[in-house]
């Protein structure tokens, strides 16, 4: 069931939209912000609310890399793997993160704290190599900084 | 030298508020356009200024606007969509403008919307630009509160609603027709062209999509006139350009410079030159979908025509400096991996072909390449040339591949002969 807060936020989004379809991504984001990810049940609830079929909404949900159709950890690390970061040491940063978290791309650490994902260019190439944790950008990152950055997240 | 696009930038802290922006001369161009000009006159000034689109393709902005059907019987509503998705690898110039002076963009949007008589505008921004999103949100609220957005702007009969659409991380959304599908809430694959969006676009109505940097130029053209604007540039195409440098330089960053400065000037005078321990091997001049250029091309001017004549493209104007300790095959593998992952899957050559190229490049990079793999690779740019795919994504992906095979074929051969990456 969508919560009253979720419904209210989706209705606010709908007011700016010219069709229910157009609010689909906004609605998914509103719900994902509260629930962390979009389960099949959640998808169906949102679709029903917007008077779309689940398949119609899922065709949007599955397209975007930042709509999570699988459970993620409490924090999502987006590691930039595009060209400027690659030139500036993305590979060793990736190795260090893998070792520190004990996970690879698409996986969540055993304590449920972090999910590690590759992401296209974060548009901060002058600070390469960079990564984002939730809404925060970090860069340029050197290996010895990783511990301190991760410690900020519960 | 004149730096109109960045003159209001603050070195620290938030950008100018609406009141501060107005005190610095802001919103005067809007006032002039809405109260003293006809829409067609605005377009005529932009045309005389020779403003070409800053998103990568360089299409003349006023010409795009002129495709919109005007007059009493023309379809309504009309839309202006501003592309601030900026997911091209190595590009960060729109971010600099969005964060640095959000009111400049909003003023540009109001004037551009007036020129095409659009009543609804969208800024399409990527999710990862969190600071830019917050600042734009604040600035848009200020503009509504002041009456610069909404109904009867400045007491005229012009209305404009402006919405900020936050995307969710797919490169293809930057393609103008995919962007329209995204805004409509459909799976954002590109649409067939024709019909072209200025005639049949968002919800079937006339729609112009301009890049964010392009729109930021518009107030300055209206305020100072086309002669002044053309004189900013070293080329017949008008204006300044936000150039950026990343990679193996001393001082990576972004600078507003006259359109047409040389790559050498950008790299050596502004980015502080190469890091002392390395030598220049190549430049990726304008984002992932532009052709690599070797060091003997450094004196080429970074403008639309000169870069094209040199076999590459200005693209985003944000270049990557690649040094002699970086493997070109690995670099091209990285680029193609990006394109393969970001292919929307709609058309077969792109969906199937790009992963296949990645497989070949991976084999070569890992020392498992065979001589015939190089022959296969060389065939691909022709097979994925414009016209063979539904949209420009795959042809764009071929530009770094083709150029690497032209200028650095020996690197590929060495990998195959030595059965390893000589740079590892």
């Amino acid at each position: 069931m969508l919560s009253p807060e979720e419904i209210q936020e989706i209705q606010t989004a709908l007011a700016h939209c010219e069709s229910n379809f157009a609010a689909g991504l906004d609605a998914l984001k509103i719900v994902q912000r509260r629930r962390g990810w979009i389960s099949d049940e959640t998808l169906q609830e949102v679709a029903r609310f917007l008077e779309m079929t689940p398949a119609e909404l899922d065709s949007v949900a599955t397209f975007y890399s930042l709509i999570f159709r699988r459970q993620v950890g409490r924090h999502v690390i987006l590691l930039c793997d595009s060209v400027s970061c690659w030139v500036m040491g993305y590979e060793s940063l990736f190795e260090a993160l893998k070792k520190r978290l004990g996970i690879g791309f698409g996986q969540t650490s055993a304590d449920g704290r972090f999910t590690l994902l590759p992401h296209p260019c974060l548009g901060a190439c002058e600070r390469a190599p960079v990564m984002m944790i939730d809404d925060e950008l970090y860069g340029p990152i050197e290996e010895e900084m990783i511990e301190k950055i991760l410690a900020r997240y519960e | 030298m004149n730096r109109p696009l960045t003159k209001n930038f603050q070195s620290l802290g938030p950008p100018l508020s609406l009141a501060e922006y107005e005190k610095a001369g802001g919103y005067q161009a809007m006032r002039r356009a809405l109260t003293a000009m006809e829409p067609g006159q605005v377009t005529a000034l932009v045309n005389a200024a020779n403003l070409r689109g800053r998103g990568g393709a360089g299409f003349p902005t006023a010409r795009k606007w002129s495709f919109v059907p005007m007059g009493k019987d023309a379809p309504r509503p009309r839309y202006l969509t501003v592309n601030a998705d900026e997911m091209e690898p190595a590009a960060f110039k729109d971010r600099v403008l969005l964060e640095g002076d959000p009111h400049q963009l909003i003023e540009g949007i109001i004037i551009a919307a007036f020129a095409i008589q659009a009543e609804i505008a969208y800024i399409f921004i990527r999710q990862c630009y969190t600071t830019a999103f917050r600042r734009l949100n604040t600035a848009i609220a200020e503009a509504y509160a002041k009456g610069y957005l909404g109904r009867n702007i400045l007491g005229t009969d012009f209305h404009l609603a402006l919405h900020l659409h936050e995307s969710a991380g797919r490169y293809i959304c930057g393609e103008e027709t995919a962007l329209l599908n995204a805004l409509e809430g459909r799976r954002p694959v590109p649409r067939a062209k024709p019909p072209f969006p200025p005639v049949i676009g968002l919800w079937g109505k006339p729609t112009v999509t301009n890049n964010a940097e392009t729109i930021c130029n518009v107030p300055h053209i209206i305020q100072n006139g086309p002669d002044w604007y053309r004189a900013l540039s070293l080329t017949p195409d008008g204006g300044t350009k936000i150039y950026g440098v990343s990679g193996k330089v001393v001082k990576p960053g972004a600078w507003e410079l006259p359109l047409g400065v040389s790559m050498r000037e950008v790299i050596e005078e502004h980015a502080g030159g190469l890091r002392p321990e390395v030598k220049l091997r190549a430049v990726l001049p304008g984002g992932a979908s532009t052709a690599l250029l070797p060091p003997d091309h450094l004196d080429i001017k970074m403008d639309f025509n000169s870069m094209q004549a040199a076999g590459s493209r200005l693209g985003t104007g944000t270049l990557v400096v690649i040094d002699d300790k970086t493997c070109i095959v690995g670099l091209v593998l990285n680029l193609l991996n990006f394109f393969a992952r970001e292919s929307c899957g709609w058309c077969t050559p792109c969906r199937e072909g790009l992963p296949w190229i990645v497989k070949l490049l991976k084999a070569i990079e890992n020392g498992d390449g065979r001589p015939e793999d190089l022959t296969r690779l060389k065939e691909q740019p022709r097979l994925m040339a414009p016209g063979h795919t539904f949209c420009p994504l795959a042809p764009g992906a071929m530009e770094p591949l083709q150029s690497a095979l032209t200028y650095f074929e020996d690197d590929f051969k060495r990998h195959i002969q030595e059965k390893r990456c000589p740079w590892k």
Side-chain angles (χ1 to χ4, degrees), chain B residues 334-353:
Chain B
N334 174 276
L335 292 167
L336 268 292
N337 211 19
F338 162 81
F339 286 109
R341 197 172 66 197
E342 292 301 318
S343 169
C344 77
W346 186 250
C347 77
T348 314
C350 177
R351 181 187 64 234
E352 305 298 325

Side-chain angles (χ1 to χ4, degrees), chain B residues 75-378:
Chain B
R76 285 190 170 275
R78 287 189 277 267
Y79 297 93
L80 173 71
T81 59
V82 176
N83 192 344
D85 199 42
E86 193 160 66
M87 285 190 67
E88 179 81 16
F92 54 103
K93 49 108 185 161
D94 293 335
R95 192 205 79 225
V96 167
L97 289 167
L98 302 172
E99 292 180 353
D101 198 1
H103 279 292
Q104 173 174 248
L105 179 70
I106 295 169
E107 186 179 9
I109 289 170
I110 298 167
I111 299 167
F114 176 75
I116 59 165
Q117 291 289 290
E119 46 261 72
I120 302 171
Y122 288 90
I123 301 172
F124 192 101
I125 188 170
R126 62 179 299 186
Q127 183 177 317
C128 291
Y129 279 3
T130 51
T131 304
F133 181 87
R134 277 195 306 272
R135 291 178 176 185
L136 275 169
N137 233 351
T138 305
I140 291 170
E142 285 181 310
Y144 267 109
K146 185 83 182 179
Y148 294 168
L149 290 170
R151 314 264 323 152
N152 299 107
I153 299 169
L154 300 176
T156 66
D157 57 5
F158 179 66
H159 317 301
L160 181 66
L162 174 59
H163 306 301
L164 185 55
H165 175 89
E166 186 195 73
S167 189
R170 280 305 291 274
Y171 173 66
I172 195 64
C173 294
E175 194 280 331
E176 70 169 338
T177 59
L179 185 146
L180 299 181
N181 277 339
L183 286 175
E184 288 186 14
R186 298 172 195 286
R187 193 171 170 91
V189 295
R191 297 176 180 178
K193 291 194 273 194
F196 292 94
V199 180
I200 295 179
L202 202 52
W203 287 290
K205 304 293 185 186
T207 306
V208 164
T209 301
N210 287 134
N211 168 260
E213 185 184 356
T214 310
I215 291 289
C216 288
N217 282 273
V218 171
H220 306 291
I221 294 170
I222 304 304
Q223 189 63 16
N224 302 298
D227 295 337
W228 174 89
Y229 185 79
R230 281 197 316 273
L232 294 172
S233 167
L234 305 174
T235 78
D237 297 316
T240 56
K241 172 86 191 77
I242 306 291
Y243 292 103
V245 179
S246 61
K248 294 287 181 70
V249 292
V250 176
K251 239 177 27 173
W255 309 273
E256 182 182 8
L257 300 169
L259 187 63
V261 295
S262 70
M263 287 195 277
R264 184 184 301 284
E265 183 183 332
V266 178
I267 294 170
E268 293 179 0
E269 287 179 32
H270 301 282
L274 264 80
R275 292 188 171 200
E277 70 277 12
V278 296
K279 284 203 185 83
L280 181 67
R281 191 88 202 291
V283 172
L284 185 67
S289 50
T290 58
L292 289 161
L293 292 171
D296 61 353
H297 285 59
L298 271 198
D299 290 311
I300 288 164
K301 289 177 178 168
M302 292 189 77
D303 65 77
F304 299 102
N305 297 341
S306 309
M307 291 301 285
Q308 199 161 5
S312 189
R313 288 189 307 122
L314 175 62
T316 58
T318 45
L319 53 85
V320 185
V321 168
I322 298 142
D323 65 318
D324 57 344
K325 291 180 179 147
T326 299
C327 170
I328 297 287
V329 176
L331 180 96
V332 175
L333 170 59
N334 174 276
L335 292 167
L336 268 292
N337 211 19
F338 162 81
F339 286 109
R341 197 172 66 197
E342 292 301 318
S343 169
C344 77
W346 186 250
C347 77
T348 314
C350 177
R351 181 187 64 234
E352 305 298 325
L354 292 176
W356 200 57
I357 293 175
V358 167
K359 213 171 145 183
L360 284 174
L361 287 168
K362 218 177 251 175
I364 295 172
E365 172 66 4
N366 292 338
D368 300 324
R370 299 162 306 175
E372 57 268 34
D373 290 343
L374 201 49
T375 316
R376 290 288 89 73
L377 269 185
K378 284 183 185 167

